[in-house]
Amino acid sequence: MSTAEATTNSGSVDLLLWVIFPYVCLAVFAVGHFWRYRYDKFGWTTRSSQLYENRLLRLGSPLFHFGILFVFAGHVMGLGVPESWTKKAGVSESMYHATAVGSGSVAGLCTLVGLAILIYRRRTVGPVFSATTKMDKTMYLVLATVIVLGMANTVVANLVGHYDYRLGVSVWFRGILLLNPHPALMAEAPFGFQVHGLAAFLLFALWPFTRLVHVFSAPLGYLTRPYIVYRSRGDSLGSRKPKRGWERVGS
Amino acid sequence: MRVMAQMAMVMNLDKCIGCHTCSVTCKQAWTNRSGVEYVWFNNVETRPGQGYPRRYEDQEKWRGGWILNKRGRLALRGGGRLRKLLTIFSNPTLPGLDDYYEPWTYDYDTLTNAPLQEHTPVARPKSLISGKDMKIEWSANWDDDLGGSPDHGDKDVLLKNIADKVKFEFEQTFMFYLPRICEHCLNPSCAASCPSGAIYKRSEDGIVLVDQDRCRGWRQCVSGCPYKKIYFNHRTGKAEKCTFCYPRIEVGIPTVCSETCVGRLRYIGLILYDADKVLEAASTEDDHDLYEAQRSVFLDPDDPEVVRAAEQAGIPRDWIDAAQRSPIHALINTFKVALPLHPEYRTLPMVWYIPPLSPVVDVIKDTGFDAEDKGNLFAAIDALRIPIEYLAELFTAGEVAPVDAVLHKLAAMRSYMRDINMGRDPDESIATAVGMTGEQMYDMYRLLAIAKYDERYVIPPAHAEQAHSLEELATECSLDYDGGPGMGGSGPFGEGSGATPPVSVENFQMLQVRQTSDSIVAPADKASRVNLLNWDGRGAPEGLFPPRDPDPDAAATAGDRS
Ligand code: HEM
Ligand code: SF4
Ligand code: SF4
C-alpha cells in the first residue's frame, strides 16, 4: 500500500498531522452526526436568533451564507477536480487561476464581512449574546480561523508566493478521501495552508456538535413536495416507542 | 368526493366578557416555559384595536396567507418556493419581539428583603429576555377595553376600509372582545410555507401540528400564517403553535380554553368536508364570495350519500354520528349564524364566530328604548353602519349582507324568546321575518343561550383500537419512553436538546423545576426562572416568600404559614 511508501519519507509528526488527525476528525464527523441525529433530533435546528435582532442579521446572514455556499462550491472544484482534467477540458492554468482567484476572493470577502457582522452581532446584542452557547463560541472561533486563513492564503499565495495548491493540498485531500494519503505533500505546503487544513478538519470534528448540523437539513425537498402535508395519527406511534417485541402488527 | 373530518370551534362573541381566563389557562397548560414567555396560543383582543402581535392583519406588510396570482391561481402571498428558499437566511417578514412584546417578571424579592426604610419598596419589572430592568411599554393586550385608544386606536388595520371613521370618543364608540386561537385551517398556509414539511394536518381530525423533531427552525411558517398563530420558541429554535389540546380531544374532552371559558361561549364539534373541493373554494375569485365558497366545501352529515362516502373513507360510525349532532354543523350550516375570521386570507379557517349583537343592543339601551323589541333592533342594525361594517371587515371580507343577516337572526331570537319568557304566545312572524321557523328559533336559543355542556361539546374520542398509538394516553408507564426518565432540563446543545419527552411528562418536570427553582431571572439557567404568571399556587418559588430560617423554631413558624 502506498501509505507505507509515503511514511518512509515523512516523519511520524507528519503522519500524525496529515493522516491520523484527518481520519479521526472525519470519523468523529460521521459517527457524531449519526449519533446526534438519533439522540437529539429536537436539538437539530438553526437556532435562529432573528426574533431578537433583525437589522444586523438581515445584512450579515445573507452575505455570509451566499458567500460560504459559493466558497464551498469553489472548494469542490479546487480540491475535487484534478488539474489534469481541467487541462484536458481546454482550460489553461492561467485562465483557471484568474477565474478562481477572481470569483473566489469576491465570495471570500462576502463571507468574511458577513461573518464579521454576525460575530459582532453575537457579542454586542444583549439577548443574542445570552442565547449563545459554549459550543457556539467554540464553533465561531474555529470557523473564523478557517475562513480568515483561507482568505489570507488566497491573497498571499497570489500576490507573494507561487504555490500551486492544485498540485499539493488538493492531491493530498483527494488522497484522504480515496484512502490513499500523501502526507509528504502537506508537509511541503506553506505554513498558511497547513494551518488552514488542520483547522478545517478540526471544524469537521466539531460540526456534529454545533448548530452547523443545520447545513445537512438544507430544505431542497421543499421545491418538489406538495404544499400541504397530511399525516395520520395512526402511523406515528406517539412519542413513545413500543418495547422490542411489542410492536403493533399490521391488522 | 373525498370526505374528511375536521375538529372545529365556534365562539359566540356576544357572551365574551373579556376576562382572559382562556388565555391564562392555555398559557398555564402550554406556554409556561422559557422561550415562549411572549407566546399566547389563545389571546383575547379588544376590537377595535391592534391585536396581537400588533397590526398582524396588515398583510401588505406581513405577507401571510394566500392570494390569487395574475393567472388566477392560488399562491402564497409571501412568494413561491424558490423565493422562500432564497430569503431563508434572513426572513424579510418575520415579526420581531417588539411586534409582540418584551415579556417580563418582577423582582418580588425586594418587597420582602428590603431593609426598613422610609419609602415602600417596589418590585421593578425585569425583562425575561435580557434579565435587565425594563420599561413596560406593550403587552399582548395593552389596548384592553380600548385603553389608550384615543392615542393609537386608529392603528387598527381594519379601519382603513371603513368610510366613516370609528370615533373613539366615549359616547360614540363600540367595542367587543375577540378571543383567537389557531384556526386549524383546511388550507393552512403555515404548512405550505414550511421548508422542511414539519407542519402537518392530521388526516383523522384536521388538527394542525408542528412535528418538533422535524422542524429545523427556518421560521418561514411564522410569516406564512396570516393570523400570526405560529410562534418561534427563541430558546429551542423551533416553531410552536396551538395544538387544539389534542391530548384532551383524543379522549373526548374539550380544549383547556373551552373548558375554562367563563362565558361558556365556545363550541367544539366535527364537521365533514370534501377535501377535493378545498383548492377550488380557496381559489374563489371575489373575496366577498369566500364565505359561501367555504360553506360549500362542508358536507351535510345527514345526507345518506355523504354517510356512505364517509364510511368508505374510513371514518368510524360514531364519528359520523357525532358529526350529525355537531353544534358546529348546526351553527354554520343549519342556523347560519357563525362566520369565518378573515376568509380573505384564503386559508379556509376552522374557528368561526357568531358576531356580537351587543354593540347594537347597547346603543338602543343607552338611548332609553326597548332593546328587545324587534322593530327597534332591526332599525338599529340598519342604522348602525359603522359597527356592522367593522364586523364585515372581520368576518366576510367587507361584505355586509351576511353579517346583517346574522344580526337580524340574533335580534329576532331575542324578541321571539321574550314573548315566551313573558308567558305570551310566541309570534311566528318574527321567525319567518328572518327565514326561520319558530321551532328552529327555539333550538337556536337552546344552543346559544342554555348551552348545555354536552350540546356545546360533541367530541367523539379517538378510537379505542388506536389507543396504543395515541400520543398521550397512558397505556404503559408514562416514564417509559426513549431517553427517559431523568429527562427535563437540557441536553448538551442548549435548551431543550435531547430526546423529546411526552408532553405530560414534560409538564410535570417543568412544574417541579419551577417549584424548586431558586432565582427569578438567572440568565445562566433560564429553565429555572420563576414568573408569577406561571406559579400555580403550589410550592413556594424563592423570591415569593422570605427564605426559611435554618433554626428549628423559626422553621416551625414558617411551617404554620403554609
Ligand atoms: C445549506 C444551506 C444553508 C441554509 C439554508 C442555512 C440557513 C441558516 C439559517 C436559517 C440560519 C439562522 C439565521 C437566523 O435567523 O439567526 C443560519 C445560521 C447560521 N448558519 Fe446557516 N445555512 C446554510 C448553510 C450554512 C453553512 C454552509 C454554514 C457554515 C459552514 C452555515 C453557518 C451558519 C452559522 C454560523 C449560523 C449562525 C448565525 C448567527 O446567528 O450567528 N450555514 N443558517
Ligand atoms: S391559523 Fe393555524 S392552521 Fe391556519 S395558517 Fe395559521 S397556524 Fe396554520
Ligand atoms: S374565558 Fe371565555 S369569556 Fe373569558 S375572555 Fe376567554 S372566551 Fe371570553
Side-chain angles (χ1 to χ4, degrees):
Chain A
M1 195 178 133
S2 56
T3 325
E5 137 211 341
T7 36
T8 48
N9 46 20
S10 57
S12 54
V13 173
D14 288 339
L15 187 70
L16 185 73
L17 289 183
W18 312 120
V19 181
I20 299 176
F21 180 69
Y23 277 122
V24 169
C25 289
L26 288 181
V28 173
F29 181 85
V31 177
H33 274 106
F34 176 75
W35 171 79
R36 175 115 188 242
Y37 192 75
R38 291 219 45 185
Y39 166 74
D40 185 30
K41 271 202 204 89
F42 183 56
W44 195 288
T45 148
T46 61
R47 267 179 200 286
S48 164
S49 53
Q50 194 178 347
L51 200 64
Y52 300 131
E53 199 279 346
N54 189 23
R55 203 174 47 86
L56 286 168
L57 186 85
R58 194 170 58 205
L59 211 64
S61 184
L63 260 180
F64 170 76
H65 276 99
F66 284 119
I68 194 109
L69 289 178
F70 200 90
V71 166
F72 174 75
H75 278 67
V76 172
M77 275 297 290
L79 294 178
V81 180
E83 191 163 325
S84 53
W85 293 14
T86 43
K87 279 224 178 91
K88 255 191 220 135
V91 183
S92 77
E93 165 63 20
S94 56
M95 234 164 88
Y96 179 91
H97 203 67
T99 31
V101 171
S103 54
S105 21
V106 174
L109 200 67
C110 288
T111 316
L112 208 59
V113 174
L115 186 74
I117 298 176
L118 286 178
I119 294 181
Y120 171 78
R121 171 177 178 271
R122 283 255 149 217
R123 186 63 199 84
T124 56
V125 180
V128 181
F129 186 56
S130 58
T132 305
T133 63
K134 288 198 189 75
M135 272 331 260
D136 281 338
K137 290 177 195 163
T138 322
M139 181 272 294
Y140 262 122
L141 187 74
V142 181
L143 185 65
T145 312
V146 176
I147 293 174
V148 169
L149 281 173
M151 215 31 208
N153 288 340
T154 313
V155 174
V156 174
N158 285 294
L159 298 186
V160 193
H162 278 292
Y163 174 66
D164 187 356
Y165 62 87
R166 298 182 77 210
L167 298 176
V169 179
S170 302
V171 179
W172 164 75
F173 185 80
R174 284 199 298 277
I176 296 280
L177 294 188
L178 300 173
L179 304 181
N180 179 18
H182 310 286
L185 286 174
M186 231 15 217
E188 290 158 8
F191 183 67
F193 281 86
Q194 289 181 333
V195 187
H196 178 65
L198 286 179
F201 273 102
L202 184 63
L203 184 65
F204 291 151
L206 284 176
W207 203 285
F209 312 106
T210 65
R211 56 156 19 107
L212 290 182
V213 292
H214 74 269
V215 176
F216 291 95
S217 302
L220 294 176
Y222 184 52
L223 293 174
T224 52
R225 74 144 218 264
Y227 263 144
I228 314 287
V229 179
Y230 289 92
R231 252 210 256 169
S232 167
R233 185 178 55 209
D235 72 353
S236 64
L237 286 169
S239 40
R240 188 185 316 133
K241 282 204 190 68
K243 283 212 191 64
R244 274 223 286 163
W246 291 93
E247 292 93 349
R248 288 200 318 166
V249 286
S251 65
Chain B
M1 180 159 48
R2 189 155 58 94
V3 186
M4 291 186 87
Q6 168 79 36
M7 199 55 82
M9 190 185 282
V10 168
M11 299 192 212
N12 182 2
L13 293 185
D14 255 337
K15 286 184 165 186
C16 181
I17 58 172
C19 63
H20 299 269
T21 307
C22 45
S23 307
V24 173
T25 49
C26 170
K27 187 148 191 62
Q28 184 75 308
W30 291 103
T31 56
N32 55 357
R33 295 160 284 137
S34 57
V36 283
E37 307 92 341
Y38 75 101
V39 170
W40 298 84
F41 289 166
N42 182 110
N43 74 294
V44 183
E45 316 173 340
T46 301
R47 302 317 294 259
Q50 299 191 48
Y52 156 82
R54 269 180 264 191
R55 291 174 58 79
Y56 68 92
E57 286 151 313
D58 185 356
Q59 302 308 340
E60 301 283 310
K61 176 165 184 205
W62 302 118
R63 314 201 71 72
W66 305 87
I67 45 163
L68 291 186
N69 65 15
K70 288 191 204 84
R71 284 169 293 141
R73 299 261 299 276
L74 198 64
L76 286 175
R77 191 194 270 268
R81 298 166 196 260
L82 201 58
R83 199 191 130 81
K84 285 241 179 265
L85 288 193
L86 289 177
T87 55
I88 201 169
F89 305 120
S90 158
N91 179 345
T93 52
L94 188 80
L97 215 43
D98 303 344
D99 295 300
Y100 300 92
Y101 68 102
E102 185 168 352
W104 71 89
T105 183
Y106 294 92
D107 61 342
Y108 297 101
D109 214 23
T110 52
L111 295 184
T112 50
N113 287 356
L116 190 62
Q117 54 188 325
E118 192 187 340
H119 301 290
T120 319
V122 290
R124 279 161 308 172
K126 298 268 183 198
S127 164
L128 283 172
I129 300 295
S130 64
K132 303 217 170 67
D133 281 344
M134 67 173 276
K135 193 165 170 249
I136 302 171
E137 280 169 334
W138 198 259
S139 77
N141 60 335
W142 199 249
D143 47 2
D144 215 14
D145 293 345
L146 300 184
S149 287
D151 290 337
H152 50 70
D154 53 342
K155 292 193 188 118
D156 182 322
V157 178
L158 303 186
L159 295 183
K160 75 170 195 290
N161 298 332
I162 295 177
D164 298 317
K165 288 290 175 245
V166 177
K167 303 259 185 354
F168 286 100
E169 281 139 44
F170 186 67
E171 309 277 291
Q172 295 164 347
T173 191
F174 69 96
M175 70 165 213
F176 59 95
Y177 302 102
L178 182 72
R180 293 200 303 126
I181 62 171
C182 161
E183 298 280 344
H184 296 275
C185 308
L186 297 185
N187 185 31
S189 53
C190 57
S193 312
C194 170
S196 356
I199 303 182
Y200 62 98
K201 195 166 175 63
R202 292 215 299 200
S203 40
E204 286 85 354
D205 51 16
I207 295 177
V208 176
L209 295 171
V210 182
D211 183 335
Q212 292 289 309
D213 272 354
R214 284 208 198 171
C215 170
R216 300 281 171 252
W218 306 123
R219 37 126 178 75
Q220 300 285 39
C221 52
V222 182
S223 308
C225 170
Y227 301 92
K228 290 293 165 281
K229 278 294 170 189
I230 296 235
Y231 302 90
F232 195 76
N233 181 324
H234 60 88
R235 300 299 300 182
T236 63
K238 305 246 162 167
E240 296 188 16
K241 68 180 288 300
C242 158
T243 62
F244 214 85
C245 292
Y246 69 86
R248 293 171 61 91
I249 294 288
E250 281 174 0
V251 293
I253 50 180
T255 63
V256 169
C257 55
S258 310
E259 181 84 277
T260 59
C261 174
V262 173
R264 305 194 300 169
L265 57 89
R266 298 184 183 220
Y267 297 78
I268 296 178
L270 282 178
I271 200 143
L272 299 182
Y273 70 100
D274 183 353
D276 286 337
K277 282 210 206 145
V278 166
L279 183 63
E280 186 194 326
S283 316
T284 304
E285 202 177 313
D286 188 350
D287 280 355
H288 288 174
D289 298 334
L290 277 162
Y291 158 59
E292 278 303 333
Q294 181 167 0
R295 265 189 3 91
S296 76
V297 172
F298 302 146
L299 298 169
D300 177 3
D302 294 311
D303 178 347
E305 210 167 300
V306 170
V307 171
R308 207 171 321 118
E311 276 171 345
Q312 265 163 16
I315 298 177
R317 184 66 227 185
D318 57 333
W319 278 50
I320 299 174
D321 287 346
Q324 288 167 347
R325 290 184 293 120
S326 164
I328 309 300
H329 172 65
L331 293 170
I332 292 179
N333 290 326
T334 315
F335 305 131
K336 297 202 186 74
V337 286
L339 301 171
L341 181 66
H342 289 304
E344 71 274 22
Y345 299 160
R346 296 173 185 274
T347 60
L348 306 196
M350 286 311 298
V351 173
W352 286 37
Y353 295 87
I354 304 176
L357 186 64
S358 51
V360 176
V361 175
D362 290 347
V363 169
I364 305 180
K365 273 200 192 131
D366 288 348
T367 47
F369 287 98
D370 178 0
E372 289 183 337
D373 178 80
K374 157 181 88 146
N376 288 348
L377 279 167
F378 284 2
I381 293 172
D382 296 334
L384 291 172
R385 293 330 293 174
I386 298 176
I388 312 277
E389 275 176 36
Y390 188 88
L391 291 174
E393 287 293 326
L394 268 184
F395 299 122
T396 47
E399 169 84 338
V400 176
V403 177
D404 248 5
V406 173
L407 294 185
H408 275 97
K409 279 182 189 162
L410 296 178
M413 185 180 87
R414 247 178 114 84
S415 353
Y416 183 82
M417 286 313 298
R418 198 216 348 220
D419 283 340
I420 295 182
N421 292 338
M422 306 289 272
R424 294 194 288 251
D425 280 341
D427 177 357
E428 190 74 19
S429 74
I430 299 180
T432 36
V434 292
M436 293 172 79
T437 65
E439 200 180 340
Q440 277 181 321
M441 201 101 281
Y442 187 79
D443 287 347
M444 186 163 94
Y445 164 78
R446 245 193 94 82
L447 192 55
L448 291 186
I450 312 282
K452 290 274 191 213
Y453 189 91
D454 57 355
E455 287 174 25
R456 266 182 290 142
Y457 308 126
V458 180
I459 307 169
H463 265 254
E465 61 272 21
Q466 303 167 342
H468 202 79
S469 70
L470 291 187
E471 261 132 310
E472 294 300 328
L473 205 61
T475 51
E476 294 167 4
C477 168
S478 52
L479 294 181
D480 185 12
Y481 62 92
D482 217 13
M487 52 290 129
S490 298
F493 308 115
E495 193 150 323
S497 61
T500 351
V503 180
S504 46
V505 175
E506 197 182 355
N507 277 1
F508 175 78
Q509 290 287 325
M510 216 87 69
L511 197 67
Q512 203 176 34
V513 169
R514 271 206 319 277
Q515 288 168 353
T516 53
S517 62
D518 55 3
S519 63
I520 303 180
V521 179
D525 175 20
K526 293 214 171 154
S528 65
R529 283 177 307 208
V530 177
N531 178 341
L532 249 207
L533 183 60
N534 301 343
W535 185 52
D536 61 354
R538 290 159 186 269
E542 192 169 332
L544 197 59
F545 299 117
R548 289 181 190 222
D549 219 300
D551 99 70
D553 291 348
T557 15
D560 290 348
R561 188 195 56 218
S562 49

